[in-house]
Amino acid sequence: MDPPKKRKRSKDEAAERPEKSRRKKKEASLNREASGFPNHKLLIFRLAVSAVLFAFVLIGTLPSFAELLLLLAGCAVSGYDLAIDSVRAVLRRDFTDSSLAVFFAALVSFPIGFGVEGLALIILYQALKMLVTLAAARNSNAIFDKIDPREENLRFLVQEELKQEDASEIRIASMIESSVKPVFLMAMVAAFVLALIMAVFLHYNLRVAVHRAITMIVVLTPYSILASMPVIGSVSLGYAAGNGTVFRRAADLEILDGTKTVILEKSCFPEPEAARILSYSSSGPDDHTFLMLVRHLLHGSEQPFARIILDSTDSRMMPELISDFSESPGGVEAVINGSRGYFGTRSYLNGMGINPPESGEEKGIAYYLYFAGRYGGKILLSEGREEDVSDLVHDLRYAGINRCVLLSSESAEEVSDFSSKSDFDDVFAGISTENRLGLINEICQANNHKTLCVRSVTFDERSTADVEIRVGENIDDADAATLPHYFTSIPVLFPISRRIREIATENTVLVFGVKAVLVFLSLIGYSNLWISISIDMAAALVAVMNANRVTTRSLLKIFFNR
C-alpha cells in the first residue's frame, strides 16, 4: 500500500478563506449593532452635560430661579427621550413602564421642592439602564464564544436565526410580565392613596407624603425583573448551539422542559466510521524516512492508533534494528539502530518530559515523533465513530425521558441488531416515507405529555410533536436543527431547557425581594428617589449577570435542599 500523500489545500478551500473572513466581520458588525454602542456614546455625552449642570446647582450660590432653570435644562438634556417614551407608553396604556414612572416622578418632584432629586433620578436611571443594556448585549453576543470556532457553518446558522426579532424571547417572561404588571399598577394607586391618608389623617406634610409616594412608584415597575429574560434566552441558545443544535427561538428550547417521549428515526444515527489518517507532516527527514521511523516504533504495539497507522502505510520493515521497546496508553518508545525514539500524543510526550510544538486548531488527534532528541513530525488521525445507540438512550433516560421510540424504513430483521444494542420502548420497522409522518402524529396524539421528534432532513411538513429537530442544516419546517456529528448530544438540551425557567424564577425572586424592601424603606422615609432607583437598577444588573448560570445548579434548589 502506498503511503498517504500530504494533503494540499484545494482551490475551493483557498477561496473559502475570504468568505470566512467576511463572515467574521459581519458577525462583529452584528454584535456592535446589537449593543447600540454609538447611541450610548451620545447618551454618555448628554449625561456628562447634565452632571456638570447638576454640579453647578450643588456647588454654586445661584438665585432660586437660576437653579430651577439649570435643573430643568439638565432634565431636558439627559431625559428628553424619557418624555418621548412616556408618551408612547401612555398611548399603548402601559402605565407600569419604567420610563413613564421615572419621568412622572421627576416631573412631580419639582412642584414639591425636590427638583435636585428629580435630576439625580434621571441621570442615575439613564446611566444605570445603559450599563444594564450593555451588560445584556455583551452576554447575549457571547453566544458565539460557546460555539467551536472551527464550526463555521454552525456559527453562520446561529447568526441567521438570531436575526429574528423574537429569537431570544422565552415563554415564562410573558407569564411573569402578565402577572406582575397588574400587581404593580394596583400598588402604584395604593401608594398615592396612602400619601393622601398620611397627609389628611396622619397630619404629614403633603410634600413629604407625595415624595414617599413617587419614590415607591419608581420602584414599582417590572423593568428590573424583565431585563434579564432575553439574556437568559440568548445564553441558553448559545449553550444549545455549542452542543451542535440551533433553535429558531429560545421559547422552543424552553418547551423541551417536561418532555417524556422522544421519537428517533434510525436514519439520523451517524454511520460507523473507522479512524483514519487525515494528514501527516515531517520535519527534517523526507516523507519516506519519516513513515519508516514511525512504523518501526509502532511495530510491536497493539494500541488502536498503531494498528491504524500500520495498516494505512507501507514501507520496508527491519525488526532486527528495534530494541528496548515499551509502550504506555497514547504512545510508544523504542531504540532503533542505537537511537531512542518516541511517538505518541502530546500528553504522552509531556509525561516523558518532551514538549511538542504548538499546532493550530485542527480536527482529529495528533501524534508526534521525536527521534534522536529531535522533533521529526506528526500524524493526524480522525476520531473514529461508532453507533452510540446504547449511550444515547441511556443519556435520554438520565435526562428524564420515559419512552424512547425508534422508527426505521428497514425490515424488522435488519433493524433488530441495531435496536438490541439499547432499550427502546417501541420499535417500528418497515415504515414507508408516505406513512412516516402519519405514524409520528399518531404517537404524538396518543401521548398525554410533551413529545420530541428527531428526524432527518426531508420534504415532509412538520409533525404535531411539541418540538421537532431535524438532523442537518435545514430548519425550514422544524423548530431546530442539529449537525449530524452532534446527534448524540441531544440529551444535553433537556437540562438546559429546565434551567431556563429556574434562572428566570431565581431572578424574579431576587429582584422582587429587593423591590419589597425598597418599598418598605420608602414608606417609612428611609429611602429617597436616587437611592431607590440605584438599588433597583443594580438588582437588574445582578439578574442580567446571573443569566450566565444556565448550565449550573439552581440556587433555589441548593437553598431549599440543604
Side-chain angles (χ1 to χ4, degrees):
M1 181 184 297
D2 295 332
K5 297 180 180 180
K6 286 186 178 180
R7 184 176 179 273
K8 297 182 180 179
R9 188 178 297 276
S10 64
K11 293 182 180 180
D12 293 338
E13 288 177 320
E16 189 180 357
R17 295 182 68 183
E19 177 64 23
K20 290 181 178 179
S21 177
R22 285 194 293 271
R23 285 183 185 178
K24 289 182 179 179
K25 290 180 180 179
K26 186 176 180 181
E27 181 180 306
S29 175
L30 286 174
N31 291 346
R32 287 194 298 269
E33 291 177 6
S35 64
F37 191 67
N39 293 333
H40 289 145
K41 284 186 176 180
L42 175 60
L43 179 57
I44 291 172
F45 174 76
R46 290 163 47 199
L47 293 178
V49 173
S50 297
V52 171
L53 297 176
F54 184 71
F56 271 117
V57 172
L58 293 180
I59 300 173
T61 55
L62 302 174
S64 300
F65 182 70
E67 287 185 357
L68 180 61
L69 288 180
L70 288 177
L71 291 173
L72 291 175
C75 290
V77 171
S78 60
Y80 68 85
D81 53 338
L82 293 183
I84 298 174
D85 292 340
S86 299
V87 173
R88 292 172 178 170
V90 172
L91 292 178
R92 65 174 183 269
R93 305 180 67 83
D94 183 8
F95 300 108
T96 59
D97 182 79
S98 61
S99 297
L100 176 60
V102 170
F103 179 75
F104 175 77
L107 195 65
V108 173
S109 66
F110 280 88
I112 63 175
F114 291 91
V116 173
E117 274 193 41
L119 177 55
L121 170 67
I122 292 178
I123 293 175
L124 287 171
Y125 172 76
Q126 293 280 59
L128 292 171
K129 187 177 181 179
M130 178 182 65
L131 289 177
V132 172
T133 304
L134 287 173
R138 182 180 180 84
N139 285 6
S140 299
N141 293 337
I143 181 174
F144 295 101
D145 297 336
K146 301 171 178 63
I147 304 175
D148 190 335
R150 297 172 295 185
E151 296 286 0
E152 287 291 335
N153 293 337
L154 182 61
R155 296 170 70 87
F156 181 75
L157 188 60
V158 172
Q159 191 180 89
E160 291 299 311
E161 294 304 323
L162 284 178
K163 293 179 181 179
Q164 306 297 326
E165 291 184 1
D166 60 345
S168 60
E169 293 182 3
I170 54 178
R171 295 181 174 229
I172 192 173
S174 58
M175 296 170 54
I176 293 173
E177 183 178 9
S178 60
S179 300
V180 301
K181 276 191 173 182
V183 175
F184 284 161
L185 186 59
M186 290 187 292
M188 288 180 178
V189 175
F192 264 109
V193 172
L194 188 60
L196 293 177
I197 293 175
M198 291 172 63
V200 175
F201 296 102
L202 302 179
H203 306 292
Y204 273 79
N205 186 294
L206 181 61
R207 294 171 55 251
V208 173
V210 173
H211 177 263
R212 294 186 183 183
I214 61 176
T215 303
M216 287 187 283
I217 286 175
V218 165
V219 176
L220 293 169
T221 62
Y223 171 78
S224 52
I225 294 177
L226 301 176
S228 64
M229 300 300 169
V231 185
I232 296 172
S234 298
V235 173
S236 62
L237 287 176
Y239 280 114
N243 286 280
T245 302
V246 180
F247 280 83
R248 284 182 177 275
R249 303 178 305 148
D252 297 326
L253 174 58
E254 182 186 5
I255 294 174
L256 279 180
D257 183 25
T259 299
K260 296 300 180 183
T261 299
V262 174
I263 303 173
L264 301 169
E265 290 188 356
K266 183 179 179 297
S267 57
C268 297
F269 285 83
E271 293 294 330
E273 180 181 311
R276 58 187 176 85
I277 296 179
L278 295 177
S279 64
Y280 69 91
S281 60
S282 60
S283 176
D286 57 80
D287 293 347
H288 177 75
T289 304
F290 168 71
L291 290 174
M292 184 176 67
L293 289 173
V294 171
R295 285 177 57 82
H296 278 73
L297 286 170
L298 298 176
H299 178 68
S301 176
E302 293 296 332
Q303 297 189 60
F305 77 91
R307 294 294 95 195
I308 293 168
I309 295 175
L310 290 172
D311 293 341
S312 303
T313 58
D314 188 20
S315 66
R316 182 184 175 189
M317 294 294 296
M318 292 178 283
E320 65 275 7
L321 299 179
I322 307 171
S323 63
D324 197 15
F325 172 82
S326 65
E327 65 177 333
S328 299
V332 301
E333 66 172 302
V335 175
I336 301 176
N337 198 24
S339 299
R340 182 166 295 277
Y342 300 87
F343 184 77
T345 61
R346 180 181 298 276
S347 58
Y348 169 79
L349 293 177
N350 288 339
M352 296 295 175
I354 301 172
N355 295 315
E358 293 291 336
S359 55
E361 294 176 349
E362 52 191 14
K363 293 183 179 180
I365 304 174
Y367 294 85
Y368 302 88
L369 169 66
Y370 263 79
F371 187 75
R374 295 182 179 181
Y375 172 66
K378 71 174 180 179
I379 295 180
L380 188 65
L381 298 184
S382 65
E383 299 183 35
R385 184 174 63 234
E386 299 179 356
E387 293 179 334
D388 300 325
V389 186
S390 58
D391 291 342
L392 175 61
V393 176
H394 174 270
D395 293 342
L396 288 172
R397 302 284 189 197
Y398 186 77
I401 304 303
N402 295 335
R403 185 186 181 197
C404 295
V405 181
L406 177 66
L407 306 182
S408 175
S409 59
E410 301 174 356
S411 63
E413 293 77 12
E414 292 174 317
V415 79
S416 61
D417 181 62
F418 180 86
S419 60
S420 64
K421 298 177 182 178
S422 61
D423 56 344
F424 282 101
D425 297 281
D426 297 291
V427 178
F428 295 89
I431 307 299
S432 64
T433 305
E434 295 78 13
N435 299 331
R436 177 174 50 192
L437 182 60
L439 177 60
I440 294 174
N441 291 338
E442 288 180 10
I443 297 173
C444 295
Q445 292 171 5
N447 283 332
N448 296 323
H449 39 254
K450 294 181 182 178
T451 303
L452 165 66
C453 180
V454 184
R455 309 174 59 192
S456 55
V457 175
T458 63
F459 295 101
D460 293 345
E461 63 183 20
R462 190 192 184 285
S463 67
T464 57
D466 295 275
V467 179
E468 181 169 304
I469 299 177
R470 298 289 178 95
V471 179
E473 298 182 9
N474 189 355
I475 324 181
D476 288 344
D477 296 317
D479 302 306
T482 186
L483 300 186
H485 51 286
Y486 283 102
F487 175 71
T488 54
S489 297
I490 286 179
V492 179
L493 302 176
F494 295 99
I496 295 176
S497 67
R498 196 173 302 119
R499 288 292 288 140
I500 291 176
R501 289 178 173 266
E502 290 176 353
I503 290 292
T505 303
E506 285 180 10
N507 288 349
T508 303
V509 171
L510 167 68
V511 179
F512 208 92
V514 172
K515 286 181 178 293
V517 173
L518 289 175
V519 168
F520 175 73
L521 293 177
S522 302
L523 177 63
I524 62 177
Y526 280 89
S527 182
N528 57 22
L529 289 172
W530 64 270
I531 290 178
S532 296
I533 198 64
S534 298
I535 297 176
D536 187 46
M537 298 301 285
L541 185 60
V542 171
V544 167
M545 301 307 294
N546 188 52
N548 283 323
R549 297 181 54 258
V550 166
T551 58
T552 60
R553 190 180 176 192
S554 170
L555 291 177
L556 293 178
K557 287 186 176 180
I558 294 174
F559 179 79
F560 288 110
N561 294 337
R562 287 184 300 177

